[in-house]
Amino acid sequence: VQLVESGGGSVQAGGSLRLSCKVSGYTYSSPYCMGWFRQIPGKERERVARIGSDGGLRYADFVKGRFTIYKDISSDSPKNTLYLQMNSLKAEDTAMYYCAANDGGYCAIGPDGYTFWGPGTQVIVSS
């Protein structure tokens, strides 16, 4: 399984970015969970949002109303991509953002509950 993020960059506060996570080698026949995490140097990696194979969504309180997670993933989809639309960005959203996935369907809150990770994409928001 490979996850590769893209879409990070530098933006001014109030701006928007859309992160993408291209997924390959994944089996979609079983329940799964995918999510976006972020990490600031010196701090623990924290979950931003997640989406289950049933479409169930969860957001961290600090991004509710600003970020949207969605997916175009299935055995029939040519895109096989997870997205994170980030609007009304704040300076405190500056971090490395990671795409993560597991199989089995349980959507853990912490990073230890996810098996597969992308290398990350950097987001910098200037105030």
Side-chain angles (χ1 to χ4, degrees):
V1 177
Q2 285 192 326
L3 309 177
V4 181
E5 304 93 338
S6 63
S10 296
V11 65
Q12 289 193 330
S16 298
L17 285 172
R18 187 180 76 163
L19 305 184
S20 299
C21 175
K22 181 71 173 179
V23 183
S24 60
Y26 203 65
T27 300
Y28 304 110
S29 60
S30 301
Y32 61 84
C33 189
M34 302 191 73
W36 287 96
F37 284 74
R38 70 186 189 186
Q39 189 168 23
I40 300 169
K43 293 193 174 182
E44 293 186 352
R45 194 169 294 190
E46 58 185 358
R47 197 179 73 181
V48 174
R50 64 85 167 167
I51 184 167
S53 53
D54 61 355
L57 306 175
R58 286 290 186 274
Y59 294 94
D61 287 343
F62 52 80
V63 302
K64 280 182 180 177
R66 300 189 298 123
F67 291 12
T68 302
I69 185 172
Y70 60 103
K71 60 185 174 72
D72 185 352
I73 292 176
S74 73
S75 58
D76 300 326
S77 172
K79 291 186 178 180
N80 286 335
T81 303
L82 178 72
Y83 300 95
L84 184 69
Q85 177 66 44
M86 306 188 296
N87 298 329
S88 302
L89 283 161
K90 304 176 182 179
E92 50 264 44
D93 294 319
T94 295
M96 183 72 79
Y97 283 74
Y98 298 90
C99 172
N102 69 10
D103 48 23
Y106 176 66
C107 290
I109 295 176
D112 290 345
Y114 294 80
T115 306
F116 309 108
W117 291 87
T121 185
Q122 181 70 49
V123 171
I124 299 172
V125 184
S126 57
S127 57

mmCIF file of all heavy atoms in Angstrom, residues 49-93:
data_model
loop_
_atom_site.group_PDB
_atom_site.id
_atom_site.type_symbol
_atom_site.label_atom_id
_atom_site.label_comp_id
_atom_site.label_asym_id
_atom_site.label_seq_id
_atom_site.Cartn_x
_atom_site.Cartn_y
_atom_site.Cartn_z
ATOM 1 N N ALA A 49 -8.927 14.927 10.679
ATOM 2 C CA ALA A 49 -10.224 14.442 10.207
ATOM 3 C C ALA A 49 -10.071 12.999 9.761
ATOM 4 O O ALA A 49 -8.963 12.555 9.432
ATOM 5 C CB ALA A 49 -10.739 15.289 9.045
ATOM 6 N N ARG A 50 -11.186 12.278 9.752
ATOM 7 C CA ARG A 50 -11.155 10.910 9.272
ATOM 8 C C ARG A 50 -12.463 10.585 8.585
ATOM 9 O O ARG A 50 -13.501 11.205 8.830
ATOM 10 C CB ARG A 50 -10.863 9.916 10.413
ATOM 11 C CG ARG A 50 -11.915 9.841 11.504
ATOM 12 C CD ARG A 50 -13.041 8.906 11.162
ATOM 13 N NE ARG A 50 -13.887 8.585 12.301
ATOM 14 C CZ ARG A 50 -15.058 8.003 12.226
ATOM 15 N NH1 ARG A 50 -15.572 7.692 11.027
ATOM 16 N NH2 ARG A 50 -15.756 7.712 13.322
ATOM 17 N N ILE A 51 -12.370 9.561 7.727
ATOM 18 C CA ILE A 51 -13.551 9.087 7.016
ATOM 19 C C ILE A 51 -13.484 7.578 6.951
ATOM 20 O O ILE A 51 -12.443 6.995 6.642
ATOM 21 C CB ILE A 51 -13.645 9.725 5.611
ATOM 22 C CG1 ILE A 51 -14.930 9.307 4.907
ATOM 23 C CG2 ILE A 51 -12.420 9.385 4.764
ATOM 24 C CD1 ILE A 51 -15.218 10.149 3.660
ATOM 25 N N GLY A 52 -14.577 6.932 7.275
ATOM 26 C CA GLY A 52 -14.635 5.487 7.240
ATOM 27 C C GLY A 52 -15.126 4.980 5.895
ATOM 28 O O GLY A 52 -15.612 5.755 5.057
ATOM 29 N N SER A 53 -15.013 3.676 5.699
ATOM 30 C CA SER A 53 -15.476 3.087 4.443
ATOM 31 C C SER A 53 -16.984 3.234 4.279
ATOM 32 O O SER A 53 -17.499 3.197 3.159
ATOM 33 C CB SER A 53 -15.085 1.613 4.374
ATOM 34 O OG SER A 53 -15.515 0.913 5.528
ATOM 35 N N ASP A 54 -17.683 3.464 5.409
ATOM 36 C CA ASP A 54 -19.134 3.694 5.344
ATOM 37 C C ASP A 54 -19.465 5.164 5.133
ATOM 38 O O ASP A 54 -20.632 5.540 5.107
ATOM 39 C CB ASP A 54 -19.799 3.206 6.631
ATOM 40 C CG ASP A 54 -19.297 3.945 7.866
ATOM 41 O OD1 ASP A 54 -18.369 4.774 7.741
ATOM 42 O OD2 ASP A 54 -19.831 3.703 8.964
ATOM 43 N N GLY A 55 -18.437 5.995 5.002
ATOM 44 C CA GLY A 55 -18.634 7.416 4.776
ATOM 45 C C GLY A 55 -18.740 8.237 6.046
ATOM 46 O O GLY A 55 -18.902 9.458 5.990
ATOM 47 N N GLY A 56 -18.647 7.591 7.206
ATOM 48 C CA GLY A 56 -18.742 8.312 8.458
ATOM 49 C C GLY A 56 -17.587 9.283 8.644
ATOM 50 O O GLY A 56 -16.436 8.947 8.349
ATOM 51 N N LEU A 57 -17.890 10.483 9.135
ATOM 52 C CA LEU A 57 -16.895 11.556 9.245
ATOM 53 C C LEU A 57 -16.680 11.967 10.696
ATOM 54 O O LEU A 57 -17.609 11.925 11.499
ATOM 55 C CB LEU A 57 -17.349 12.783 8.457
ATOM 56 C CG LEU A 57 -17.722 12.601 6.992
ATOM 57 C CD1 LEU A 57 -18.261 13.917 6.427
ATOM 58 C CD2 LEU A 57 -16.536 12.126 6.192
ATOM 59 N N ARG A 58 -15.471 12.375 10.990
ATOM 60 C CA ARG A 58 -15.157 13.005 12.278
ATOM 61 C C ARG A 58 -14.118 14.084 12.037
ATOM 62 O O ARG A 58 -13.193 13.897 11.248
ATOM 63 C CB ARG A 58 -14.603 11.994 13.278
ATOM 64 C CG ARG A 58 -15.605 11.037 13.856
ATOM 65 C CD ARG A 58 -16.591 11.699 14.802
ATOM 66 N NE ARG A 58 -17.464 10.731 15.461
ATOM 67 C CZ ARG A 58 -18.586 10.282 14.942
ATOM 68 N NH1 ARG A 58 -18.997 10.723 13.760
ATOM 69 N NH2 ARG A 58 -19.307 9.398 15.600
ATOM 70 N N TYR A 59 -14.264 15.203 12.739
ATOM 71 C CA TYR A 59 -13.316 16.296 12.639
ATOM 72 C C TYR A 59 -12.812 16.678 14.026
ATOM 73 O O TYR A 59 -13.559 16.621 15.006
ATOM 74 C CB TYR A 59 -13.967 17.524 12.001
ATOM 75 C CG TYR A 59 -14.373 17.337 10.560
ATOM 76 C CD1 TYR A 59 -15.663 16.939 10.233
ATOM 77 C CD2 TYR A 59 -13.463 17.554 9.534
ATOM 78 C CE1 TYR A 59 -16.038 16.756 8.913
ATOM 79 C CE2 TYR A 59 -13.824 17.382 8.210
ATOM 80 C CZ TYR A 59 -15.110 16.987 7.903
ATOM 81 O OH TYR A 59 -15.475 16.811 6.590
ATOM 82 N N ALA A 60 -11.569 17.109 14.062
ATOM 83 C CA ALA A 60 -11.063 17.699 15.294
ATOM 84 C C ALA A 60 -11.775 19.024 15.510
ATOM 85 O O ALA A 60 -12.123 19.722 14.541
ATOM 86 C CB ALA A 60 -9.559 17.900 15.196
ATOM 87 N N ASP A 61 -11.976 19.397 16.773
ATOM 88 C CA ASP A 61 -12.691 20.635 17.078
ATOM 89 C C ASP A 61 -12.018 21.852 16.439
ATOM 90 O O ASP A 61 -12.701 22.796 16.033
ATOM 91 C CB ASP A 61 -12.769 20.826 18.592
ATOM 92 C CG ASP A 61 -13.762 19.868 19.238
ATOM 93 O OD1 ASP A 61 -14.599 19.296 18.513
ATOM 94 O OD2 ASP A 61 -13.678 19.676 20.466
ATOM 95 N N PHE A 62 -10.707 21.808 16.336
ATOM 96 C CA PHE A 62 -10.004 22.998 15.852
ATOM 97 C C PHE A 62 -10.128 23.201 14.338
ATOM 98 O O PHE A 62 -9.667 24.216 13.810
ATOM 99 C CB PHE A 62 -8.524 22.971 16.266
ATOM 100 C CG PHE A 62 -7.786 21.709 15.922
ATOM 101 C CD1 PHE A 62 -7.312 21.480 14.639
ATOM 102 C CD2 PHE A 62 -7.568 20.739 16.893
ATOM 103 C CE1 PHE A 62 -6.628 20.315 14.325
ATOM 104 C CE2 PHE A 62 -6.893 19.563 16.589
ATOM 105 C CZ PHE A 62 -6.422 19.347 15.308
ATOM 106 N N VAL A 63 -10.762 22.270 13.619
ATOM 107 C CA VAL A 63 -10.960 22.462 12.178
ATOM 108 C C VAL A 63 -12.433 22.404 11.772
ATOM 109 O O VAL A 63 -12.756 22.613 10.599
ATOM 110 C CB VAL A 63 -10.175 21.442 11.334
ATOM 111 C CG1 VAL A 63 -8.696 21.521 11.649
ATOM 112 C CG2 VAL A 63 -10.708 20.034 11.526
ATOM 113 N N LYS A 64 -13.301 22.129 12.719
ATOM 114 C CA LYS A 64 -14.719 22.030 12.382
ATOM 115 C C LYS A 64 -15.228 23.312 11.742
ATOM 116 O O LYS A 64 -14.943 24.411 12.211
ATOM 117 C CB LYS A 64 -15.541 21.729 13.642
ATOM 118 C CG LYS A 64 -15.525 20.270 14.060
ATOM 119 C CD LYS A 64 -16.398 20.041 15.272
ATOM 120 C CE LYS A 64 -16.379 18.579 15.676
ATOM 121 N NZ LYS A 64 -17.163 18.336 16.914
ATOM 122 N N GLY A 65 -15.950 23.139 10.641
ATOM 123 C CA GLY A 65 -16.492 24.272 9.921
ATOM 124 C C GLY A 65 -15.538 24.892 8.929
ATOM 125 O O GLY A 65 -15.934 25.748 8.127
ATOM 126 N N ARG A 66 -14.268 24.467 8.971
ATOM 127 C CA ARG A 66 -13.272 25.037 8.061
ATOM 128 C C ARG A 66 -12.709 23.983 7.097
ATOM 129 O O ARG A 66 -12.418 24.309 5.950
ATOM 130 C CB ARG A 66 -12.121 25.652 8.862
ATOM 131 C CG ARG A 66 -12.536 26.765 9.798
ATOM 132 C CD ARG A 66 -11.325 27.471 10.393
ATOM 133 N NE ARG A 66 -10.488 26.579 11.202
ATOM 134 C CZ ARG A 66 -9.197 26.378 10.973
ATOM 135 N NH1 ARG A 66 -8.582 26.971 9.976
ATOM 136 N NH2 ARG A 66 -8.499 25.567 11.759
ATOM 137 N N PHE A 67 -12.538 22.764 7.575
ATOM 138 C CA PHE A 67 -11.951 21.700 6.756
ATOM 139 C C PHE A 67 -13.024 20.679 6.397
ATOM 140 O O PHE A 67 -13.952 20.428 7.177
ATOM 141 C CB PHE A 67 -10.838 20.980 7.526
ATOM 142 C CG PHE A 67 -9.590 21.785 7.769
ATOM 143 C CD1 PHE A 67 -9.539 23.153 7.539
ATOM 144 C CD2 PHE A 67 -8.445 21.161 8.231
ATOM 145 C CE1 PHE A 67 -8.397 23.883 7.770
ATOM 146 C CE2 PHE A 67 -7.279 21.879 8.464
ATOM 147 C CZ PHE A 67 -7.263 23.247 8.241
ATOM 148 N N THR A 68 -12.844 20.077 5.226
ATOM 149 C CA THR A 68 -13.745 19.020 4.779
ATOM 150 C C THR A 68 -12.928 17.858 4.224
ATOM 151 O O THR A 68 -12.081 18.060 3.344
ATOM 152 C CB THR A 68 -14.702 19.519 3.687
ATOM 153 O OG1 THR A 68 -15.448 20.635 4.186
ATOM 154 C CG2 THR A 68 -15.675 18.417 3.280
ATOM 155 N N ILE A 69 -13.197 16.672 4.742
ATOM 156 C CA ILE A 69 -12.541 15.470 4.226
ATOM 157 C C ILE A 69 -13.523 14.736 3.318
ATOM 158 O O ILE A 69 -14.711 14.633 3.631
ATOM 159 C CB ILE A 69 -12.064 14.555 5.379
ATOM 160 C CG1 ILE A 69 -11.264 13.367 4.839
ATOM 161 C CG2 ILE A 69 -13.228 14.084 6.244
ATOM 162 C CD1 ILE A 69 -10.599 12.532 5.944
ATOM 163 N N TYR A 70 -13.035 14.272 2.194
ATOM 164 C CA TYR A 70 -13.877 13.476 1.319
ATOM 165 C C TYR A 70 -12.987 12.565 0.488
ATOM 166 O O TYR A 70 -11.771 12.762 0.431
ATOM 167 C CB TYR A 70 -14.788 14.335 0.440
ATOM 168 C CG TYR A 70 -14.086 15.295 -0.495
ATOM 169 C CD1 TYR A 70 -13.960 15.014 -1.858
ATOM 170 C CD2 TYR A 70 -13.601 16.503 -0.024
ATOM 171 C CE1 TYR A 70 -13.352 15.904 -2.714
ATOM 172 C CE2 TYR A 70 -12.972 17.402 -0.877
ATOM 173 C CZ TYR A 70 -12.859 17.107 -2.217
ATOM 174 O OH TYR A 70 -12.242 17.989 -3.079
ATOM 175 N N LYS A 71 -13.611 11.591 -0.148
ATOM 176 C CA LYS A 71 -12.832 10.595 -0.868
ATOM 177 C C LYS A 71 -13.462 10.226 -2.187
ATOM 178 O O LYS A 71 -14.672 10.330 -2.355
ATOM 179 C CB LYS A 71 -12.654 9.333 -0.002
ATOM 180 C CG LYS A 71 -13.958 8.645 0.396
ATOM 181 C CD LYS A 71 -13.694 7.496 1.353
ATOM 182 C CE LYS A 71 -14.979 6.871 1.882
ATOM 183 N NZ LYS A 71 -15.681 6.084 0.875
ATOM 184 N N ASP A 72 -12.629 9.822 -3.087
ATOM 185 C CA ASP A 72 -13.050 9.237 -4.350
ATOM 186 C C ASP A 72 -12.278 7.935 -4.443
ATOM 187 O O ASP A 72 -11.271 7.823 -5.141
ATOM 188 C CB ASP A 72 -12.723 10.158 -5.518
ATOM 189 C CG ASP A 72 -13.277 9.612 -6.823
ATOM 190 O OD1 ASP A 72 -13.772 8.472 -6.845
ATOM 191 O OD2 ASP A 72 -13.217 10.331 -7.828
ATOM 192 N N ILE A 73 -12.741 6.965 -3.652
ATOM 193 C CA ILE A 73 -12.013 5.718 -3.483
ATOM 194 C C ILE A 73 -12.972 4.551 -3.586
ATOM 195 O O ILE A 73 -13.962 4.490 -2.876
ATOM 196 C CB ILE A 73 -11.295 5.669 -2.119
ATOM 197 C CG1 ILE A 73 -10.164 6.705 -2.076
ATOM 198 C CG2 ILE A 73 -10.761 4.277 -1.835
ATOM 199 C CD1 ILE A 73 -9.476 6.787 -0.746
ATOM 200 N N SER A 74 -12.673 3.644 -4.470
ATOM 201 C CA SER A 74 -13.406 2.389 -4.586
ATOM 202 C C SER A 74 -12.646 1.497 -5.555
ATOM 203 O O SER A 74 -11.721 1.949 -6.229
ATOM 204 C CB SER A 74 -14.830 2.615 -5.079
ATOM 205 O OG SER A 74 -14.815 2.959 -6.454
ATOM 206 N N SER A 75 -13.067 0.262 -5.639
ATOM 207 C CA SER A 75 -12.399 -0.656 -6.559
ATOM 208 C C SER A 75 -12.632 -0.264 -8.012
ATOM 209 O O SER A 75 -11.884 -0.675 -8.891
ATOM 210 C CB SER A 75 -12.892 -2.083 -6.316
ATOM 211 O OG SER A 75 -14.298 -2.139 -6.480
ATOM 212 N N ASP A 76 -13.663 0.589 -8.241
ATOM 213 C CA ASP A 76 -13.975 0.998 -9.608
ATOM 214 C C ASP A 76 -13.473 2.388 -9.940
ATOM 215 O O ASP A 76 -13.582 2.833 -11.067
ATOM 216 C CB ASP A 76 -15.494 0.956 -9.835
ATOM 217 C CG ASP A 76 -16.069 -0.423 -9.637
ATOM 218 O OD1 ASP A 76 -15.355 -1.392 -9.959
ATOM 219 O OD2 ASP A 76 -17.207 -0.534 -9.157
ATOM 220 N N SER A 77 -12.954 3.081 -8.962
ATOM 221 C CA SER A 77 -12.560 4.467 -9.187
ATOM 222 C C SER A 77 -11.141 4.550 -9.729
ATOM 223 O O SER A 77 -10.226 3.985 -9.154
ATOM 224 C CB SER A 77 -12.654 5.268 -7.893
ATOM 225 O OG SER A 77 -12.093 6.554 -8.075
ATOM 226 N N PRO A 78 -10.935 5.307 -10.802
ATOM 227 C CA PRO A 78 -9.571 5.488 -11.316
ATOM 228 C C PRO A 78 -8.774 6.484 -10.484
ATOM 229 O O PRO A 78 -7.563 6.537 -10.585
ATOM 230 C CB PRO A 78 -9.798 6.001 -12.740
ATOM 231 C CG PRO A 78 -11.097 6.723 -12.664
ATOM 232 C CD PRO A 78 -11.929 5.963 -11.659
ATOM 233 N N LYS A 79 -9.460 7.290 -9.693
ATOM 234 C CA LYS A 79 -8.755 8.331 -8.946
ATOM 235 C C LYS A 79 -8.130 7.783 -7.669
ATOM 236 O O LYS A 79 -6.975 8.056 -7.372
ATOM 237 C CB LYS A 79 -9.711 9.474 -8.623
ATOM 238 C CG LYS A 79 -10.146 10.259 -9.837
ATOM 239 C CD LYS A 79 -10.966 11.469 -9.430
ATOM 240 C CE LYS A 79 -11.364 12.290 -10.648
ATOM 241 N NZ LYS A 79 -12.175 13.481 -10.257
ATOM 242 N N ASN A 80 -8.930 7.009 -6.913
ATOM 243 C CA ASN A 80 -8.428 6.467 -5.654
ATOM 244 C C ASN A 80 -7.686 7.518 -4.852
ATOM 245 O O ASN A 80 -6.494 7.378 -4.543
ATOM 246 C CB ASN A 80 -7.521 5.254 -5.913
ATOM 247 C CG ASN A 80 -8.318 4.041 -6.313
ATOM 248 O OD1 ASN A 80 -9.488 3.925 -5.981
ATOM 249 N ND2 ASN A 80 -7.704 3.136 -7.028
ATOM 250 N N THR A 81 -8.380 8.573 -4.528
ATOM 251 C CA THR A 81 -7.767 9.708 -3.857
ATOM 252 C C THR A 81 -8.597 10.164 -2.680
ATOM 253 O O THR A 81 -9.817 10.209 -2.743
ATOM 254 C CB THR A 81 -7.584 10.870 -4.854
ATOM 255 O OG1 THR A 81 -6.804 10.426 -5.964
ATOM 256 C CG2 THR A 81 -6.897 12.043 -4.195
ATOM 257 N N LEU A 82 -7.898 10.490 -1.601
ATOM 258 C CA LEU A 82 -8.496 11.086 -0.416
ATOM 259 C C LEU A 82 -8.155 12.570 -0.440
ATOM 260 O O LEU A 82 -7.039 12.942 -0.805
ATOM 261 C CB LEU A 82 -7.925 10.437 0.843
ATOM 262 C CG LEU A 82 -8.399 10.971 2.184
ATOM 263 C CD1 LEU A 82 -9.847 10.558 2.434
ATOM 264 C CD2 LEU A 82 -7.501 10.484 3.307
ATOM 265 N N TYR A 83 -9.109 13.408 -0.039
ATOM 266 C CA TYR A 83 -8.902 14.847 -0.104
ATOM 267 C C TYR A 83 -9.122 15.496 1.263
ATOM 268 O O TYR A 83 -9.845 14.979 2.114
ATOM 269 C CB TYR A 83 -9.879 15.482 -1.094
ATOM 270 C CG TYR A 83 -9.767 14.980 -2.502
ATOM 271 C CD1 TYR A 83 -10.596 13.953 -2.949
ATOM 272 C CD2 TYR A 83 -8.857 15.528 -3.383
ATOM 273 C CE1 TYR A 83 -10.507 13.482 -4.249
ATOM 274 C CE2 TYR A 83 -8.764 15.062 -4.698
ATOM 275 C CZ TYR A 83 -9.590 14.041 -5.116
ATOM 276 O OH TYR A 83 -9.495 13.580 -6.407
ATOM 277 N N LEU A 84 -8.509 16.656 1.423
ATOM 278 C CA LEU A 84 -8.792 17.508 2.566
ATOM 279 C C LEU A 84 -8.878 18.941 2.054
ATOM 280 O O LEU A 84 -7.861 19.532 1.667
ATOM 281 C CB LEU A 84 -7.705 17.395 3.642
ATOM 282 C CG LEU A 84 -7.978 18.200 4.913
ATOM 283 C CD1 LEU A 84 -9.166 17.582 5.676
ATOM 284 C CD2 LEU A 84 -6.756 18.252 5.823
ATOM 285 N N GLN A 85 -10.081 19.462 2.005
ATOM 286 C CA GLN A 85 -10.284 20.855 1.617
ATOM 287 C C GLN A 85 -10.140 21.715 2.859
ATOM 288 O O GLN A 85 -10.862 21.516 3.838
ATOM 289 C CB GLN A 85 -11.671 21.039 0.999
ATOM 290 C CG GLN A 85 -11.995 22.467 0.626
ATOM 291 C CD GLN A 85 -11.124 22.994 -0.501
ATOM 292 O OE1 GLN A 85 -10.895 22.297 -1.495
ATOM 293 N NE2 GLN A 85 -10.636 24.218 -0.364
ATOM 294 N N MET A 86 -9.222 22.659 2.809
ATOM 295 C CA MET A 86 -8.940 23.496 3.972
ATOM 296 C C MET A 86 -9.260 24.945 3.621
ATOM 297 O O MET A 86 -8.621 25.530 2.737
ATOM 298 C CB MET A 86 -7.477 23.363 4.380
ATOM 299 C CG MET A 86 -7.033 21.922 4.618
ATOM 300 S SD MET A 86 -5.379 21.784 5.314
ATOM 301 C CE MET A 86 -4.415 22.462 3.973
ATOM 302 N N ASN A 87 -10.247 25.500 4.297
ATOM 303 C CA ASN A 87 -10.645 26.891 4.082
ATOM 304 C C ASN A 87 -10.383 27.704 5.348
ATOM 305 O O ASN A 87 -10.195 27.153 6.425
ATOM 306 C CB ASN A 87 -12.129 26.958 3.721
ATOM 307 C CG ASN A 87 -12.452 26.237 2.430
ATOM 308 O OD1 ASN A 87 -11.645 26.165 1.510
ATOM 309 N ND2 ASN A 87 -13.659 25.682 2.361
ATOM 310 N N SER A 88 -10.409 29.011 5.192
ATOM 311 C CA SER A 88 -10.209 29.921 6.330
ATOM 312 C C SER A 88 -8.990 29.524 7.146
ATOM 313 O O SER A 88 -9.041 29.420 8.376
ATOM 314 C CB SER A 88 -11.461 29.927 7.226
ATOM 315 O OG SER A 88 -12.594 30.319 6.490
ATOM 316 N N LEU A 89 -7.902 29.311 6.453
ATOM 317 C CA LEU A 89 -6.688 28.841 7.121
ATOM 318 C C LEU A 89 -6.144 29.877 8.085
ATOM 319 O O LEU A 89 -6.244 31.094 7.851
ATOM 320 C CB LEU A 89 -5.640 28.467 6.086
ATOM 321 C CG LEU A 89 -5.868 27.119 5.397
ATOM 322 C CD1 LEU A 89 -5.089 27.017 4.111
ATOM 323 C CD2 LEU A 89 -5.506 25.978 6.332
ATOM 324 N N LYS A 90 -5.594 29.373 9.176
ATOM 325 C CA LYS A 90 -5.011 30.204 10.207
ATOM 326 C C LYS A 90 -3.514 29.891 10.329
ATOM 327 O O LYS A 90 -3.066 28.808 9.940
ATOM 328 C CB LYS A 90 -5.689 29.926 11.546
ATOM 329 C CG LYS A 90 -7.190 30.096 11.540
ATOM 330 C CD LYS A 90 -7.783 29.694 12.883
ATOM 331 C CE LYS A 90 -9.292 29.815 12.882
ATOM 332 N NZ LYS A 90 -9.878 29.411 14.185
ATOM 333 N N ALA A 91 -2.793 30.799 10.913
ATOM 334 C CA ALA A 91 -1.352 30.584 11.096
ATOM 335 C C ALA A 91 -1.089 29.306 11.893
ATOM 336 O O ALA A 91 -0.131 28.586 11.626
ATOM 337 C CB ALA A 91 -0.726 31.792 11.778
ATOM 338 N N GLU A 92 -1.967 29.023 12.848
ATOM 339 C CA GLU A 92 -1.783 27.825 13.672
ATOM 340 C C GLU A 92 -2.062 26.522 12.936
ATOM 341 O O GLU A 92 -1.844 25.438 13.479
ATOM 342 C CB GLU A 92 -2.640 27.893 14.938
ATOM 343 C CG GLU A 92 -4.081 28.225 14.711
ATOM 344 C CD GLU A 92 -4.383 29.706 14.899
ATOM 345 O OE1 GLU A 92 -3.585 30.547 14.401
ATOM 346 O OE2 GLU A 92 -5.407 30.021 15.520
ATOM 347 N N ASP A 93 -2.530 26.608 11.690
ATOM 348 C CA ASP A 93 -2.696 25.406 10.869
ATOM 349 C C ASP A 93 -1.387 24.996 10.193
ATOM 350 O O ASP A 93 -1.322 23.951 9.544
ATOM 351 C CB ASP A 93 -3.751 25.630 9.782
ATOM 352 C CG ASP A 93 -5.146 25.821 10.354
ATOM 353 O OD1 ASP A 93 -5.498 25.101 11.308
ATOM 354 O OD2 ASP A 93 -5.883 26.683 9.839
#
